[in-house]
Amino acid sequence: MWSDDASRVDMLAYEPYADLIAEISVSGRMNPLTIGLFGNWGSGKSTLLRLIENTLQKHANSKIVVVTVNAWMFEGYDDAKTALMEAILRNLQENSTFFEKCSNKIQSLIKRIDWIRVGSTAVKKGIPFAVSLMTGNPLPAILGSLNWDKLTSEKGVTQDLETLKTLKEEYLKEDKEDNVIQNIRKFREEFSEVILDSGIDNLIIMIDDLDRCNPDRIVESLEAIKLFLAVDKTTFIIAMDEDVITYSIKRKYPQMDDVDLDISKDYIEKIVQLPIKIAELTESDIKNYMLLLVCELYLQNESLSLLIQALRDRDIFVRGEIVSSKEIVQIVGEQGSNVLKQGFDKTDFETQLNIFNSIGDIIATTLKGNPRQTKRFLNTFYIRKRLAEIQKIQLNPSILAKLMVLEYVDRDLFRELYKWQVEHSGYPLPLRDIEQVVLSGSLSESAERTSVKENHRGWQSETIKRWIGVEPTNLSEHDLSPYFYLARESITDKKLFSVNLNQEERKLINQICNTSVSEIIRLKKIQELESLSEVSRNEVVKGLISKYNHDMKNHLWVLVQIHKLYPQYQPIILEELKKIKKSDFSPAVVIEFSQLDANTMRQLRDYYIEREISTEKLWDSVGGKQ
């Protein structure tokens, strides 16, 4: 099994990026600097951060201090900004090599953070508290800053009362002009002094998982980083999803009317001086990554590292070539006999490599260039494989993997296959004719009678044809009931909207369904579906159907346009158009239907009149008579 955490071994060929970013980070000429690592969810940002950290730790210059902070840790704090600042200072305080002599100054900075926190809480709670803080009576503001919900124990009460006492004493020592604004200014000055006094050449602060936080926490954390930006010898490396960050900023600072200004873009540019975008992995990258993940499961760490180095020496990654299972077995075999982890079998290792080598191409087209999705696919495969072993269910791993690919590529066809095997005692007999057509190009007599091409149009796409051609090519001759038993959660899932969507696909769905813009603009977005890959287009159409099912009145127009423009989706769209309830049926529905071709219009008219959901008079009154 594989964890969603950052990988310890570079299987994504990110090491050159890590070396370059580490080199830039330690450059005094670029300092102070904030580097933004922009990438979608699951693109490998955390893995790249870990590689950068490892590279920095090996740096010849021993006067570099690296602090790694997970922003998500501060999600539950009332003030993420000050929590982040304090976490960085606590890390420095624990570094006795460089910061032992600065301990008192660091402690003073932590106290100053307490005051900034109190001021922030005062502002959040209202002007009276803020005024009391500034005018010599801080008690109400301090009391307001305490989290009374957490005072559930004697220890908790004692700690907060001690905090209250200390803050009050420190406040009385301060000049009355030393308000929150002064604290922020002095914090920057004193923090800079700590860095200089420590004697280090550079403090590199790496922040991960910022995009997992809620929008308010994201902006607070970015504001905390701004406090450090002007401090010499400090470099921030922030991993984040640019779309999530942009949304958070726009929510905090909405677009001003009649002002041609992209606030979010300007805000990010103020924070990040050097943006580095992590590109989505290509299909060849994903296939190689999947095979290396299998290797990671079976091989000793040293053997895995030697394998990856051998592939680098052959320029496999640079040239964008696909690694074969045969090549991996050959390289591993040259290392000797002690290469597998204890308890693992060489034959099983080679079998798994061959399975995923054969289906790697089609899997790679479904996973959106996303390493995390690749891990999750393999995890699901091994969970089902292990469940079968525990229950002594005999499985062919190749069939298990092939069915899982269909489950990812097209959930609707996966369910159709399930129905076929239920109707024929485990054997999906209708698939036999489809397999014959795809593999030989000819029709048997039974196929002619059932009219494969018309009745099973969904099985005629290029992606599905490729899937049918993957070994084993005779699924119709196998009892698939045990495989569907292991995939029960997918069979019972009623949602049509697949979660396997990337940011661009979600964005396109929202643009198409945005009823606040003109139909001309929305129609252009629907026409953009033509330029998508078949897999992406299928996912977007499923998303649009899901939107329609949640709000028929606003999104019926969308399904009608899909039906008109994309014949491959007409059967599934027609079925959706037949689901309108009698209470929702109106002249507006018939008007939308009137845009369809005569044959489809006639089918819908007959369907709804026969079921007494609508009347002939209604159809005739809006010109629906065909």
Side-chain angles (χ1 to χ4, degrees):
M1 298 294 290
W2 295 267
S3 169
D4 268 355
D5 293 339
S7 299
R8 298 184 179 278
V9 180
D10 180 23
M11 293 179 285
L12 296 169
Y14 280 172
E15 192 169 296
Y17 292 95
D19 292 342
L20 175 61
I21 295 169
E23 180 182 311
I24 294 171
S25 300
V26 300
S27 171
R29 185 171 58 86
M30 297 288 290
N31 189 271
L33 175 68
T34 298
I35 300 172
L37 299 182
F38 295 120
N40 291 335
W41 173 89
S43 61
K45 299 187 294 295
S46 297
T47 294
L48 181 52
L49 278 182
R50 177 170 283 178
L51 291 172
I52 295 169
E53 183 177 9
N54 291 341
T55 303
L56 288 169
Q57 289 173 346
K58 298 173 185 176
H59 202 275
N61 184 348
S62 59
K63 291 187 176 182
I64 295 173
V65 174
V66 180
V67 173
T68 302
V69 179
N70 189 311
W72 205 17
M73 292 170 54
F74 312 125
E75 181 70 11
Y77 285 72
D78 289 335
D79 188 56
K81 175 168 66 266
T82 53
L84 175 62
M85 293 158 61
E86 184 172 347
I88 293 170
L89 291 174
R90 296 288 184 191
N91 269 276
L92 300 184
Q93 200 171 36
E94 293 171 4
N95 188 323
S96 57
T97 303
F98 293 106
F99 292 94
E100 185 174 9
K101 61 182 179 181
C102 306
S103 181
N104 290 336
K105 285 188 176 181
I106 292 176
Q107 192 59 42
S108 176
L109 279 171
I110 292 173
K111 290 180 180 178
R112 195 171 291 284
I113 286 176
D114 288 334
W115 277 111
I116 294 173
R117 182 182 293 117
V118 170
S120 298
T121 304
V123 171
K124 289 177 183 178
K125 292 192 176 287
I127 295 300
F129 287 110
V131 172
S132 68
L133 180 63
M134 306 305 175
T135 57
N137 182 17
L139 186 59
I142 297 172
L143 289 173
S145 72
L146 298 179
N147 191 342
W148 298 101
D149 294 337
K150 295 182 179 179
L151 302 183
T152 56
S153 66
E154 182 179 348
K155 182 180 179 181
V157 173
T158 303
Q159 286 178 344
D160 263 2
L161 288 177
E162 285 298 319
T163 300
L164 174 59
K165 180 181 178 182
T166 303
L167 286 174
K168 182 178 179 181
E169 289 173 353
E170 290 298 321
Y171 175 84
L172 294 175
K173 293 179 184 178
E174 298 282 356
D175 189 284
K176 289 185 178 181
E177 294 181 0
D178 189 21
N179 54 29
V180 173
I181 303 300
Q182 295 281 16
N183 265 294
I184 293 175
R185 180 182 59 79
K186 287 190 175 183
F187 181 94
R188 188 195 300 268
E189 294 173 356
E190 292 174 10
F191 182 74
S192 182
E193 290 175 8
V194 167
I195 302 300
L196 292 173
D197 292 348
S198 69
I200 64 172
D201 288 339
N202 203 348
L203 170 64
I204 299 173
I205 301 167
M206 300 199 299
I207 299 178
D208 195 12
D209 283 340
L210 183 62
D211 45 21
R212 289 194 180 191
C213 302
N214 71 49
D216 291 339
R217 295 293 182 268
I218 288 173
V219 175
E220 284 181 10
S221 297
L222 291 174
E223 289 173 352
I225 293 167
K226 282 197 296 183
L227 294 174
F228 298 113
L229 289 180
V231 176
D232 289 336
K233 300 185 177 182
T234 302
T235 299
F236 280 88
I237 304 176
I238 314 169
M240 50 187 165
D241 185 322
E242 188 173 10
D243 289 335
V244 175
I245 304 301
T246 298
Y247 167 76
S248 301
I249 295 169
K250 286 183 176 180
R251 177 177 166 180
K252 176 79 172 182
Y253 304 107
Q255 183 73 31
M256 293 178 288
D257 295 335
D258 302 323
V259 177
D260 186 16
L261 177 67
D262 189 340
I263 295 176
S264 61
K265 181 180 178 181
D266 291 346
Y267 190 102
I268 292 175
E269 288 179 353
K270 292 290 184 183
I271 299 290
V272 177
Q273 288 83 49
L274 181 60
I276 297 176
K277 296 192 176 183
I278 303 174
E280 285 190 350
L281 302 184
T282 64
E283 291 183 15
S284 61
D285 291 333
I286 284 291
K287 183 173 180 181
N288 291 342
Y289 180 60
M290 181 170 55
L291 292 178
L292 289 176
L293 284 173
V294 174
C295 293
E296 183 187 30
L297 182 66
Y298 283 86
L299 298 179
Q300 301 275 6
N301 290 339
E302 182 180 357
S303 180
L304 177 63
S305 297
L306 289 173
L307 168 63
I308 293 173
Q309 188 58 51
L311 294 174
R312 283 185 187 143
D313 292 342
R314 300 183 186 191
D315 288 336
I316 293 291
F317 305 118
V318 173
R319 296 177 184 273
E321 296 178 359
I322 296 176
V323 183
S324 69
S325 57
K326 183 178 179 180
E327 192 171 10
I328 290 175
V329 170
Q330 178 187 345
I331 294 173
V332 172
E334 293 170 356
Q335 298 179 19
S337 57
N338 189 27
V339 295
L340 296 177
K341 294 177 181 176
Q342 187 174 2
F344 284 93
D345 178 71
K346 180 182 178 183
T347 302
D348 189 41
F349 169 54
E350 293 181 4
T351 299
Q352 302 306 317
L353 282 177
N354 289 331
I355 289 172
F356 288 104
N357 186 73
S358 65
I359 64 173
D361 289 338
I362 194 165
I363 292 178
T365 64
T366 71
L367 297 177
K368 318 295 183 190
N370 192 298
R372 184 169 291 160
Q373 287 283 12
T374 307
K375 282 185 178 180
R376 293 189 173 189
F377 181 93
L378 290 178
N379 279 338
T380 303
F381 172 81
Y382 280 103
I383 286 173
R384 291 180 183 177
K385 179 174 177 287
R386 185 61 187 137
L387 282 172
E389 292 169 350
I390 291 172
Q391 299 176 77
K392 295 182 172 53
I393 299 173
Q394 296 298 317
L395 289 181
N396 180 333
S398 296
I399 294 178
L400 175 62
K402 182 171 180 176
L403 286 173
M404 280 187 57
V405 171
L406 181 62
E407 184 180 350
Y408 268 65
V409 171
D410 196 316
R411 186 70 64 88
D412 294 329
L413 292 184
F414 181 74
R415 289 175 183 152
E416 186 171 11
L417 191 64
Y418 164 73
K419 292 177 183 177
W420 288 347
Q421 64 88 29
V422 169
E423 293 167 355
H424 300 87
S425 303
Y427 294 85
L429 298 184
L431 183 63
R432 180 181 301 165
D433 293 323
I434 298 173
E435 289 173 334
Q436 184 180 355
V437 170
V438 172
L439 298 175
S440 67
S442 63
L443 288 171
S444 66
E445 290 184 9
S446 62
E448 290 281 8
R449 286 197 302 269
T450 56
S451 185
V452 170
K453 199 165 187 179
E454 288 301 319
N455 293 343
H456 305 301
R457 186 178 292 178
W459 296 86
Q460 303 303 311
S461 71
E462 290 304 315
T463 300
I464 298 302
K465 287 179 180 178
R466 286 172 60 194
W467 174 81
I468 290 173
V470 170
E471 291 291 341
T473 57
N474 58 342
L475 283 186
S476 59
E477 299 176 11
H478 294 271
D479 181 0
L480 301 185
S481 55
Y483 302 93
F484 282 103
Y485 166 76
L486 295 170
R488 295 189 304 279
E489 74 281 359
S490 294
I491 299 165
T492 57
D493 182 8
K494 299 300 182 183
K495 294 182 294 183
L496 289 172
F497 195 6
S498 171
V499 297
N500 188 27
L501 291 169
N502 62 31
Q503 291 287 344
E504 289 303 313
E505 291 164 352
R506 293 180 187 277
K507 181 178 179 181
L508 184 55
I509 289 170
N510 289 331
Q511 289 172 334
I512 291 173
C513 295
N514 184 4
T515 55
S516 65
V517 301
S518 70
E519 290 184 353
I520 296 175
I521 294 175
R522 295 167 69 195
L523 185 59
K524 287 182 179 179
K525 292 297 177 182
I526 293 174
Q527 292 168 344
E528 287 181 13
L529 293 176
E530 185 67 35
S531 63
L532 299 181
S533 69
E534 185 178 2
V535 172
S536 289
R537 186 165 56 247
N538 289 344
E539 294 296 325
V540 172
V541 170
K542 289 178 188 177
L544 294 173
I545 291 174
S546 178
K547 290 274 192 181
Y548 165 80
N549 286 328
H550 283 90
D551 188 353
M552 182 277 294
K553 291 180 181 178
N554 280 322
H555 303 312
L556 174 60
W557 176 85
V558 174
L559 261 62
V560 169
Q561 305 311 311
I562 298 291
H563 189 282
K564 290 166 59 179
L565 294 173
Y566 301 100
Q568 66 268 40
Y569 299 115
Q570 287 179 355
I572 188 174
I573 296 297
L574 179 59
E575 291 307 310
E576 294 300 323
L577 296 180
K578 290 180 178 179
K579 294 179 181 179
I580 301 175
K581 299 177 182 178
K582 187 171 185 177
S583 58
D584 293 329
F585 211 93
S586 67
V589 171
V590 181
I591 291 173
E592 291 290 358
F593 284 168
S594 66
Q595 302 179 56
L596 298 168
D597 61 276
N599 182 50
T600 303
M601 182 71 166
R602 187 179 300 108
Q603 289 184 62
L604 290 171
R605 173 191 171 95
D606 294 345
Y607 178 87
Y608 281 111
I609 292 176
E610 180 182 339
R611 285 159 181 76
E612 298 183 350
I613 294 175
S614 64
T615 63
E616 290 187 27
K617 182 179 180 181
L618 173 60
W619 287 80
D620 294 343
S621 66
V622 293
K625 188 173 182 179
Q626 299 292 329

